[in-house]
Amino acid sequence: MIFNPLETHQEGTEKTYEVVVRPIVVENRITSKKTLPDSSDSKYEAFHPGELWLDDQGQHINAHGGGILFYEGKYYWFGEHKSANTSRALVGVRCYSSKDLYNWKNEGIALSVEKNDTLSPITLGCTIERPKVIFNKKTKKFIMYFHLELKGQGYSAAQVGIATSNTITGPYAFVKSLRPNKGEWPMNMTESQRKFKATPEDFDKWWTPEWMLAIKDGLFVRRDLKTGQMSRDMTLFVDEDDKAYHIYSSEENLTIHIAELTDDYLNYTGKYVRIFPGGHNEAPALFKKEGKYYLITSGCTGWNPNAARSAVASSVWGPWVPIGNPCRGEKSEFTFESQSTYILPVFGDESTFIFMADRWNPKCHIDGRYVWLSINFENSKPLIEWKKEWKLKD
Ligand code: GAL
């Protein structure tokens, strides 16, 4: 695609782009009727992975790195509102609703960046990624967690942000941002690992065998014990007993942590485990099927796709057993040019899970596409195959 810079957009220092060939980006929105099935009356009747996906207003859905909550008969999709030429948050988290998962209504901005308060952690120009919303049955509140990077600090803050609302579509009120599990040891770090004296400064170079051993022994967990553990790519998972977990890339993206939340879902209980220390996993997505927990992640190559990985466990605390790349077929070594964000259990059909992934477009972030594919099972392992077009009952 060819993009022509047009003019400076009013939001921050954004530039607006016009796309010379379709899709068309106007005022930071993308429109094109081209991908709608020819015979349709503007209604989708199938998924079209990787294509433009228009909402009820004819705009490409702007909910990247997203997740879905099913509530009172409708699906609600929350995701990063991206702009054309920056991935920084100039708007916030957007919400869409749907009854059939194909056709989505724009429900507006669920969480807005702070336009006037430059001291707020979610001030305009911060980075808000991978938002997920869960419902707390006891408090009747909707709770949003997201990866937060502070304005002007690149990806060094590595925090989680928490916001709540009494209504599903928002507006969500920002509660706090933090690094999880300050002062707490992971349950699966041994007494001797907790006492090791090595510090990151003892190593001149990363990636040496000695350094990797030290990582596995919790070098960065010890470094960050007092401040809380780093938290970047993330998801949330609510189990059948209503316990909720925050799953995030920690330790400089080297190790996944799974941390239990308190009953109100607003704090950490201090119980957490490290998964695949030094395994360099990002983009975690977790689901449960017939009593087993499955985790799908990616490797760490920024916006570029890589091969997905999967793992299975009988308890959320592990042990987690790696079971390989769940994708099969052409481009499966690049997750069909996408990166996982969420796995949606389709309500009413306990055997249908949708693998939701992002096909990022760092040249024009707003034009990032969504790759949704069904998860099948073969030999008790998740299997994801490419489909150009598919329906829930296929
Ligand atoms: C990816 C990550 C995205 C975003 C990106 C920035 O690896 O999954 O959510 O953080 O890096 O380069």
Side-chain angles (χ1 to χ4, degrees):
M1 267 182 289
I2 311 159
F3 298 95
N4 271 349
L6 263 185
E7 61 191 33
T8 302
H9 183 69
Q10 59 198 23
E11 281 171 342
T13 55
E14 260 320 61
K15 277 190 183 146
T16 301
Y17 288 81
E18 182 190 34
V19 182
V20 172
V21 290
R22 285 171 181 243
I24 307 166
V25 184
V26 184
E27 289 180 357
N28 248 336
R29 287 165 156 239
I30 301 185
T31 57
S32 166
K33 287 281 172 199
K34 263 199 150 174
T35 57
L36 286 175
D38 289 344
S39 60
S40 93
D41 53 353
S42 293
K43 278 200 131 211
Y44 291 105
E45 286 171 0
F47 298 111
H48 304 92
E51 294 192 22
L52 282 183
W53 195 348
L54 307 186
D55 66 10
D56 61 319
Q57 296 160 345
Q59 310 289 335
H60 180 48
I61 291 172
N62 201 341
H64 309 265
I68 288 183
L69 177 63
F70 183 78
Y71 182 71
E72 292 188 344
K74 272 198 209 167
Y75 295 93
Y76 292 84
W77 177 358
F78 297 86
E80 307 159 24
H81 177 113
K82 287 211 185 277
S83 305
N85 71 341
T86 178
S87 173
R88 288 178 299 120
L90 303 182
V91 175
V93 174
R94 191 172 277 280
C95 176
Y96 295 84
S97 68
S98 172
K99 280 192 174 158
D100 61 9
L101 291 169
Y102 306 127
N103 298 285
W104 292 89
K105 176 174 179 241
N106 180 6
E107 297 280 1
I109 303 303
L111 175 73
S112 290
V113 293
E114 275 292 349
K115 297 218 164 99
N116 302 317
D117 180 0
T118 53
L119 296 176
S120 165
I122 60 161
T123 194
L124 180 100
C126 68
T127 297
I128 291 177
E129 290 182 343
R130 299 182 175 272
K132 306 288 177 300
V133 174
I134 53 180
F135 177 62
N136 189 290
K137 288 183 192 157
K138 279 192 191 147
T139 63
K140 307 267 180 264
K141 285 203 184 292
F142 297 90
I143 321 273
M144 179 189 291
Y145 276 52
F146 53 91
H147 169 198
L148 175 71
E149 295 295 346
L150 303 175
K151 185 176 182 178
Q153 297 185 25
Y155 277 84
S156 63
Q159 293 183 356
V160 59
I162 304 173
T164 63
S165 171
N166 292 326
T167 51
I168 189 160
T169 54
Y172 284 72
F174 177 71
V175 177
K176 59 186 170 185
S177 62
L178 51 96
R179 281 186 171 192
N181 292 309
K182 195 169 160 176
E184 305 286 353
W185 290 110
M187 293 190 291
N188 58 352
M189 218 167 129
T190 64
E191 279 304 318
S192 54
Q193 284 175 327
R194 295 177 192 194
K195 287 186 186 130
F196 281 155
K197 292 277 173 275
T199 68
E201 290 70 45
D202 295 335
F203 299 86
D204 294 338
K205 274 201 219 149
W206 283 32
W207 306 113
T208 62
E210 302 74 40
W211 180 86
M212 191 46 97
L213 269 182
I215 291 300
K216 290 185 176 160
D217 281 332
L219 186 70
F220 292 139
V221 176
R222 287 197 305 276
R223 180 196 67 184
D224 296 336
L225 191 74
K226 288 202 179 110
T227 52
Q229 300 298 321
M230 298 177 87
S231 170
R232 292 201 183 111
D233 280 10
M234 57 140 281
T235 192
L236 296 176
F237 174 73
V238 181
D239 210 339
E240 283 152 308
D241 59 3
D242 293 330
K243 286 247 176 264
Y245 301 87
H246 178 211
I247 300 111
Y248 52 94
S249 292
S250 192
E251 304 177 36
E252 308 285 356
N253 291 352
L254 285 156
T255 303
I256 296 277
H257 289 185
I258 300 187
E260 188 183 70
L261 302 181
T262 50
D263 285 351
D264 60 7
Y265 302 167
L266 291 175
N267 291 292
Y268 294 82
T269 63
K271 273 176 88 172
Y272 71 111
V273 283
R274 305 171 71 217
I275 305 291
F276 307 127
H280 224 191
N281 286 281
E282 277 193 328
L286 200 152
F287 68 107
K288 189 179 189 183
K289 184 177 185 280
E290 290 160 12
K292 291 228 151 111
Y293 299 83
Y294 296 88
L295 180 69
I296 297 186
T297 61
S298 73
C300 298
T301 49
W303 301 120
N304 297 321
N306 54 55
R309 299 110 180 248
S310 63
V312 64
S314 300
S315 156
V316 81
W317 301 126
W320 285 90
V321 180
I323 47 174
N325 183 350
C327 301
R328 184 191 292 163
E330 209 184 322
K331 301 212 174 137
S332 57
E333 69 278 26
F334 297 107
T335 318
F336 313 113
E337 297 176 322
S338 70
Q339 187 184 30
S340 43
T341 180
Y342 194 71
I343 289 157
L344 174 69
V346 177
F347 186 75
D349 181 354
E350 283 176 12
S351 60
T352 304
F353 291 88
I354 300 180
F355 172 75
M356 292 169 51
D358 292 281
R359 184 173 287 173
W360 304 113
N361 182 352
K363 291 201 179 107
C364 182
H365 289 278
I366 192 177
D367 190 26
R369 306 295 174 87
Y370 309 101
V371 171
W372 288 20
L373 293 165
S374 58
I375 301 185
N376 293 309
F377 275 78
E378 194 180 77
N379 303 324
S380 308
K381 291 182 184 174
L383 172 67
I384 305 168
E385 288 173 297
W386 175 256
K387 284 183 193 128
K388 200 171 171 310
E389 179 179 323
W390 66 282
K391 294 183 186 194
L392 284 169
K393 293 290 169 210
D394 279 357

